[in-house]
Each structure stands twice: as C-alpha cells, then as structure tokens.
Amino acid sequence: MDRQIRDIVVVAASAGGVQALQRLVSQLPADLAATLFVVVHIGTNRPSLLPHLLSRAGPIPAYHPVHGQPIERGRIYVAPPDLHMRLQPGAIHLDRGPKVRHTRPAADPLFESAAATYGARTVGVVLTGGDFDATAGARAIKAQGGLIIVQQPHEAEAPSMPLSALRDDHPDHILHIDDMPSLLVDLAEGM
C-alpha cells in the first residue's frame, strides 16, 4: 500500500478549464491537507478573475501569489496572467520566462519545478484543454515518483491535453472530475 503523503497538487487546464476547476474545488474539503497550484492558459492582457471564481466555488481560498510568497497548506495558488509559476522549497517563484508553446503561464514549468522540488509528494492533474501543455511536466513528475491524474478525455470540453498526457505516459488515474476530490484527500493523507 502506498503510504507516501502527496500534498503538492499541480493542476493544468485550458479551454473549458474554468468550469472544470470550479467543479473540482467545489467538492474539496476546507481542511484539505494539501496545497493546489493552478495554471490556466489566459491572454496576457486580460485580468484574471479565476481566484475569485474558485474561492466562491468551494471552501478553499484561492489567490494570485506574489513572487517569493511562502507556500501555505490549504490554499489554491493561481498563476497570474503573463507569469510562469514555479515552485521552490517552501516558496513560489514567478517569472516572465520564455513562453512555452506560445503561452505564459504554462503548465510545464510548474509541473517540472514541482517534480524537481517536491518529488514523490507531487500530484499532477491534467484537465481539459487544447494543445499538449503539461505532457512534459507530467513525465517529469512520474520520473520523480509522483502521481498523474488525467481527466477522462470524453468528459473534457477540449480533450487534447488529457489525450496527450495519456499517449505520452501511463497516468496513475484516469477519472471523471467528480471522482478526483476524494482521491486527492486520500493522497494528501497518505492513504
């Protein structure tokens, strides 16, 4: 039985991602023993209301972090527009590094930094979206002993991201969004 605590949850979404994320966070408990880090592809010149929408959808507060912000358990950190979000030991790093597959923020920098920093504690979640962002990052998480959860492609509004993750590696779980929250709770508690 896997007794590893997996309390660093990185989530990637694009087209259809706002609704998918709202469903996911609406079913998470307020006392979740994990931290979520979310990247959704948005335009660089548009403000993001995603932290507000996610805070309203569920009991866990969501924020746009600032560079160097300490990581707190039981929070949802959403990558701000036009900034990559990367994880360092105990803190969040934001930067305007090169776009990844024409987007910033992108999931791969987040996933890869989480894998490098937190190893097997990391859970990568790939939700609806176009393109193949998060595929390389999912591979990095798996290589460090972390787990990958992929949304059922037939449920995704845009199935390209989930399908790419499925084709590239063997995810640990392929689930409907409504089945993800209970698994995330169990993983955070080492069950």
Side-chain angles (χ1 to χ4, degrees):
M1 179 177 212
D2 184 47
R3 301 295 299 174
Q4 171 72 45
I5 292 175
R6 300 181 189 272
D7 57 349
I8 301 294
V9 180
V10 292
V11 184
S14 188
V18 173
Q19 295 81 6
L21 284 163
Q22 287 174 312
R23 275 180 60 195
L24 176 67
V25 304
S26 72
Q27 299 174 58
L28 292 172
D31 62 349
L32 180 68
T35 306
L36 276 71
F37 303 88
V38 175
V39 168
V40 175
H41 301 151
I42 56 174
T44 59
N45 296 320
R46 292 193 275 169
S48 171
L49 298 175
L50 189 55
H52 173 73
L53 295 172
L54 297 181
S55 291
R56 287 187 55 185
I60 300 174
Y63 308 93
H64 282 308
V66 296
H67 179 73
Q69 181 166 346
I71 295 171
E72 294 181 54
R73 180 176 279 179
R75 301 282 187 267
I76 300 170
Y77 297 105
V78 179
D82 202 30
L83 293 171
H84 289 308
M85 181 167 60
R86 302 175 203 268
L87 302 187
Q88 298 176 334
I92 297 168
H93 176 85
L94 301 175
D95 66 70
R96 281 196 174 83
K99 291 183 177 183
V100 177
R101 279 170 289 294
H102 312 292
T103 190
R104 185 178 49 230
D108 282 332
L110 172 63
F111 280 40
E112 290 167 353
S113 67
T117 304
Y118 292 102
R121 289 174 57 188
T122 308
V123 177
V125 179
V126 181
L127 300 178
T128 181
D131 201 4
F132 54 92
D133 191 21
T135 301
R139 191 178 321 119
I141 290 171
K142 289 280 287 186
Q144 294 298 320
L147 298 178
I148 299 299
I149 301 170
V150 175
Q151 181 181 10
Q152 283 281 357
H154 65 79
E155 177 189 60
E157 182 176 317
S160 297
M161 278 174 52
L163 284 170
S164 180
L166 288 172
R167 288 184 191 121
D168 185 72
D169 206 346
H170 301 288
D172 299 282
H173 303 277
I174 305 163
L175 300 173
H176 294 280
I177 287 184
D178 293 334
D179 296 327
M180 292 180 188
S182 61
L183 176 59
L184 292 175
V185 169
D186 289 348
L187 292 172
E189 295 174 357
M191 301 175 87

